[in-house]
Amino acid sequence: MAPARYRSFLVGAPRTLLWRIFLVVTFLMLASVATWSAIFNHFDVASRASQMAQTVVSIINLTRTALLNADPALRKDLLLDLATLEGIRIYPAEKQDRTAPLEDSVLMHMLTREVRQQLGPETRFASAWEGLPGFWVSFRIQADDPEDAGEFWVMLPVERVMRPHTREWIGWGAAALCLALLGAYLIVSRLNRPLKDLTAAARTVGRGEIPARLDEDGPTELSELAHAFNQMSRDLQELDADRALILAGVSHDLRTPLARLRLGVEMCGADAADVDAMVSDIEDMDRIIGQFLSFSRESGDEELTPLDLAGMAEELAALYVRRGFPLTLHARTIAIAEARPQALRRAVTNLIENSLRYAGHPPELEVGMIDGRPAIEVLDRGPGIPPADTERVKRPFTRLESARSNTKGSGLGLAIVDRIVRGQQGEFRLAPREGGGLRASILLRSAPRA
């Protein structure tokens, strides 16, 4: 099982960090596109205004020249041709004409200034004349005939003057932004893949299992992270193997002198009460050594197989009946789990022994389904465990300062159960029982159907 200092590092989910990176990249790209658009618009305004002014002046001059040089009898046909073919309309200007001003923008100010420089300061502009929308410009005709002279309004098609450069650039900018965001998404996805593998491997370590070696190829940072994780995984395996070897060796070596000590006590000829007390202490020591051996024992060699939890519970109940401890068994429904039978039997036995020791009477066994998973529960009416301590007591060598604490214990009983259950990809829960006592639940994976 991974130490706490490693587990806090391992279980972090990369998704939040990667999406934050994606959002930051998106924001920076949006800001970049907006900045470049503003820069382009700033330097493009003068050029666009000059081009538009030249177009307006050319159309006005050509129109004025055509009107002056045209046969008076054909001017009406000329005006119709200009309106029909070129979209240019000409109307006499009056002081009482109803007009609407052009939009107040830098482009319009520069445009009107350049047009007035070429056509004259008296040139007027409007975005609508007598309710007709368009780009309206006034011009004067100087002629010998008073009927030909005067001020006129000419309406130019808006699309001819106001070319939609801005819309075009917005479209191209949006397309470039989409491509950039797609590239950012592909980059984030590539970063996410090895981090997902790292997360899955971290959860494997958290369950006390050995993860597959991570691929150390890719960007330097991810390669170094994968290398560090692989090294940590190897260190944890060596640490766990060394710990198991030490515990097994010390426990095995202690049992031989304990056996000789017990034999010597029984043959010493002392008072029977004293002999019984010393033998009881020796048995407690032997039981603690057995817990050390159980904690150090690996169950990885035992295969996961489908197991009927009700059948296993019946076998344990029959075993304890022969020992004089009748257990009450409730099988609510059929529960077939994927488990390691011997290891799971050892875990349930630990819980039963724990209940016998602290509750003083045989516990109850319940088999059924909890949250859609096969489960077996051991229930007693002992002093229980405070809800705030249910996770802490699963740690090795942890004992509570309460009535359920046993100063003679090693603090490994529940840690052994938790390690066995997690090694089978299950969940070990401790909760107060209704009416007092403790409810210890082992939830396992359902066995695959044949």
Side-chain angles (χ1 to χ4, degrees), residues 401-420:
E401 299 297 330
S402 65
R404 202 171 180 101
S405 175
N406 180 4
T407 56
K408 295 183 180 180
S410 63
L412 285 173
L414 297 179
I416 293 172
V417 177
D418 184 60
R419 185 180 187 186
I420 291 174

Side-chain angles (χ1 to χ4, degrees), residues 297-428:
R297 186 180 297 119
E298 293 289 345
S299 58
D301 294 337
E302 190 179 4
E303 295 292 334
L304 289 169
T305 58
L307 177 64
D308 182 2
L309 297 184
M312 186 194 72
E314 290 176 357
E315 294 177 5
L316 290 175
L319 176 64
Y320 276 91
V321 165
R322 292 194 295 270
R323 293 177 51 187
F325 300 106
L327 305 181
T328 303
L329 175 60
H330 304 284
R332 299 189 297 268
T333 183
I334 297 176
I336 307 299
E338 189 177 39
R340 297 185 175 96
Q342 295 303 320
L344 183 62
R345 181 189 295 269
R346 187 162 66 250
V348 177
T349 300
N350 270 15
L351 292 177
I352 295 173
E353 294 291 338
N354 194 66
S355 296
L356 289 173
R357 186 176 307 113
Y358 297 120
H361 54 78
E364 301 175 26
L365 297 181
E366 288 191 2
V367 176
M369 303 293 291
I370 299 178
D371 297 338
R373 291 187 288 177
I376 181 169
E377 298 181 290
V378 179
L379 301 87
D380 63 40
R381 292 295 182 187
I385 296 175
D389 295 323
T390 53
E391 292 301 319
R392 187 168 68 90
V393 295
K394 298 177 185 178
R395 301 174 187 170
F397 309 108
T398 299
R399 291 194 296 265
L400 297 179
E401 299 297 330
S402 65
R404 202 171 180 101
S405 175
N406 180 4
T407 56
K408 295 183 180 180
S410 63
L412 285 173
L414 297 179
I416 293 172
V417 177
D418 184 60
R419 185 180 187 186
I420 291 174
V421 174
R422 281 155 48 89
Q424 302 181 39
Q425 301 179 16
E427 182 181 0
F428 178 40

Side-chain angles (χ1 to χ4, degrees), residues 21-33:
I21 294 174
F22 179 75
L23 291 177
V24 170
V25 171
T26 302
F27 173 77
L28 291 177
M29 288 184 175
L30 287 173
S32 176
V33 170

